[in-house]
């Protein structure tokens, strides 16, 4: 199929994107977290096409994006107290909340679950397109299933050219990792995916927050999880990645001792010049926000480098670092060395 490439800065671009969506088509759109592959959330056929375009397993539900609180009432059947408080504080922004779904949300969108994931993005282009379309947009990350999430227009073109009706350029995603997902559909709030809104911040608002064990650990074969996305080996790079938990000095020493052809270091900015192997950096050791912003681009660069073996320096697991760690440990297939 022909893919219409748009730039949000051009006049009429968001109108053109909204028009495609109104006609049941798919458009990759920028959000502050990562780019999303959007379709009318109420149109079962359009949502089915998202699964086809991405090669996404049908049992992995989509996130529904809204641009005002009225739309929230259309997609959920009730709004728990905790959700109201979190919405007040973190919406619009990189937080997704799971609630009981309304009848208007088709089963394909929620992958037959009685719940729906909802997010109110802060990115002005995303909001403008939702407003112009006039309906909520179902949008998973706009990558091919199994590739790192796209944080730029170029990433989307690389993965989806010829597979979707449109891709709109809205610049690089500033957060860089997908939204925090919290379930408010059960008795207690459960963190399903860490993101830019941190566990510490959620605890401050809600008190106790359980953490799904899929956040940090490998699932058992056939294990049932609250968030189906967690069971797939996401973000799988071509190279074999090992995550190294160590101080900067010990990491540098270890990698230099294991230097040979095909070995790469996925390291912090401050470490690159001390390493004797090829390096790809993903931000300063001292900024978890920078690490989040750059991690997916760094993983794509590694994929294109022809690296065979990658030693990735583990981020800290506090604050936004937990989100970066969660993505990296999956890229490493849970292969961790602690020094
Ligand atoms: O930042 C983001 O969240 C981006 C942008 C585009 O908004 N979207 C995104 O979507 O990351 P996706 O599909 O790549 O990840 C959605 C995750 C999956 O792990 C899925 O299993 C989970 O959300 N999810 C969706 N609906 C759910 C539900 N009803 N219950 C539990 N998990 C759900
Ligand atoms: Mg995804």
């Amino acid at each position: 199929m022909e893919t219409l490439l748009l730039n949000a800065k051009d006049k009429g671009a968001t109108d053109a994107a909204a028009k495609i969506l109104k006609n049941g088509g798919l458009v990759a759109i920028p959000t502050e977290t990562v780019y999303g592959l959007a379709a009318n959330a109420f149109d079962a056929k359009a949502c089915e096409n998202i699964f086809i375009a991405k090669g996404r397993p049908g049992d992995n539900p989509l996130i529904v994006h809204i641009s005002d609180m009225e739309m929230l009432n259309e997609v959920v059947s009730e709004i728990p107290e905790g959700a109201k408080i979190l919405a007040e504080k973190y919406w619009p922004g990189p937080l997704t909340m799971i609630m009981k779904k309304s009848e208007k949300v088709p089963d394909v969108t929620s992958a037959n679950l009685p719940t729906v994931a909802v997010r109110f993005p802060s990115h002005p282009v995303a909001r403008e397109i939702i407003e112009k379309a006039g309906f909520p947009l179902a949008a998973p990350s706009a990558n091919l299933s199994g590739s790192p999430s796209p944080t730029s227009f170029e990433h989307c073109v690389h993965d989806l050219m010829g597979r979707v009706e449109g891709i709109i350029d809205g610049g690089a995603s500033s957060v860089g990792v997908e939204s925090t997902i919290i379930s408010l559909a059960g008795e207690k709030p459960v963190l399903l995916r860490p993101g830019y809104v941190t566990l510490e911040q959620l605890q401050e608002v809600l008190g106790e927050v359980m953490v799904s064990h899929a956040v940090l650990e490998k699932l058992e074969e056939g294990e049932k999880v609250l968030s189906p996305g967690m069971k797939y080996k996401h973000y799988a790079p071509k190279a074999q990645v090992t995550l190294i938990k160590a101080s900067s000095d010990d990491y540098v020493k270890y990698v230099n001792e294991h230097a040979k052809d095909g070995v790469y270091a996925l390291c912090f900015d401050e470490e690159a010049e001390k390493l004797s192997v090829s390096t790809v950096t993903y931000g300063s050791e001292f900024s978890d926000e920078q690490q989040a912003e750059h991690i997916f681009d760094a993983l794509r660069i590694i994929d294109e480098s022809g690296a065979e073996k990658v030693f990735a320096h583990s981020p800290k697991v506090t604050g936004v670092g937990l989100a970066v760690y969660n993505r990296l440990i999956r890229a490493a297939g849970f292969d961790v060395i602690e020094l």
Side-chain angles (χ1 to χ4, degrees), residues 143 147-148 150 155 158-159 296-304:
N143 52 293
S147 301
H155 295 164
H158 179 272
D159 279 20
F296 283 131
D297 191 45
L299 285 171
R300 281 184 184 251
I301 291 170
I302 285 202
D303 261 352
E304 277 153 28

Side-chain angles (χ1 to χ4, degrees), residues 262-304:
V263 169
Y264 272 65
L266 176 56
C267 62
F268 299 127
D269 297 345
E270 295 85 356
E271 294 160 346
E273 61 177 17
K274 301 179 203 156
L275 288 158
S276 57
V277 299
S278 303
T279 59
V280 175
T281 59
Y282 73 104
S284 167
E285 180 185 359
F286 307 104
S287 169
D288 53 10
E289 295 188 2
Q290 269 186 29
Q291 293 160 22
E293 188 182 344
H294 299 298
I295 188 63
F296 283 131
D297 191 45
L299 285 171
R300 281 184 184 251
I301 291 170
I302 285 202
D303 261 352
E304 277 153 28

Side-chain angles (χ1 to χ4, degrees), residues 58-278:
D59 65 349
N60 195 3
L62 308 175
I63 295 179
V64 173
H65 297 70
I66 58 173
S67 60
D68 58 53
M69 293 306 273
E70 247 163 67
M71 275 189 190
L72 179 64
N73 288 315
E74 281 186 83
V75 296
V76 304
S77 62
E78 59 179 67
I79 307 173
E81 206 41 49
K84 287 182 195 154
I85 307 171
L86 285 176
E88 189 77 24
K89 198 158 169 135
Y90 291 111
W91 274 2
L95 176 70
T96 296
M97 295 194 259
I98 313 269
M99 296 175 240
K100 297 208 169 73
K101 84 175 186 77
S102 77
E103 278 181 10
K104 264 187 105 168
V105 178
D107 287 338
V108 251
T109 309
S110 66
N112 292 309
L113 292 174
T115 54
V116 63
V118 194
R119 182 159 102 79
F120 185 161
S122 63
H123 197 291
V125 175
R127 288 171 63 173
E128 197 176 313
I129 293 171
I130 304 168
E131 277 161 21
K132 286 185 173 168
F135 42 71
L137 297 180
S141 48
N143 52 293
L144 285 176
S145 227
S147 301
S149 289
T151 52
S152 70
F153 172 74
E154 290 74 22
H155 295 164
C156 296
V157 170
H158 179 272
D159 279 20
L160 297 176
M161 196 67 188
R163 302 178 74 92
V164 300
E165 280 81 2
I167 303 175
I168 179 162
D169 189 352
S173 297
S174 59
V175 171
V177 291
E178 310 89 336
S179 61
T180 305
I181 304 183
I182 185 163
S183 172
L184 298 161
E187 256 166 48
K188 286 190 179 157
V190 188
L191 176 72
L192 300 181
R193 182 173 73 184
Y196 191 80
V197 175
T198 64
L199 175 62
E200 293 85 345
Q201 288 171 324
L202 295 170
Q203 285 165 333
E204 212 164 280
V205 174
L206 300 171
E208 194 189 357
V209 176
M210 322 245 290
V211 178
S212 164
H213 90 98
V215 166
L216 290 170
E217 291 154 46
K218 193 175 182 166
L219 294 167
E220 301 293 326
E221 194 81 34
E223 187 179 342
K224 224 175 132 53
V225 274
L226 277 174
S227 188
M230 283 296 173
K231 74 179 182 216
Y232 297 106
K233 192 184 169 201
H234 262 117
Y235 331 112
K238 293 182 190 127
Q240 200 243 322
V241 179
T242 300
L243 195 57
I244 311 282
K245 285 187 177 176
S247 67
S248 202
D249 286 347
D250 289 348
Y251 169 75
V252 167
K253 188 162 170 269
Y254 181 89
V255 174
N256 285 341
E257 278 168 8
H258 292 78
K260 61 174 180 195
D261 277 356
V263 169
Y264 272 65
L266 176 56
C267 62
F268 299 127
D269 297 345
E270 295 85 356
E271 294 160 346
E273 61 177 17
K274 301 179 203 156
L275 288 158
S276 57
V277 299
S278 303

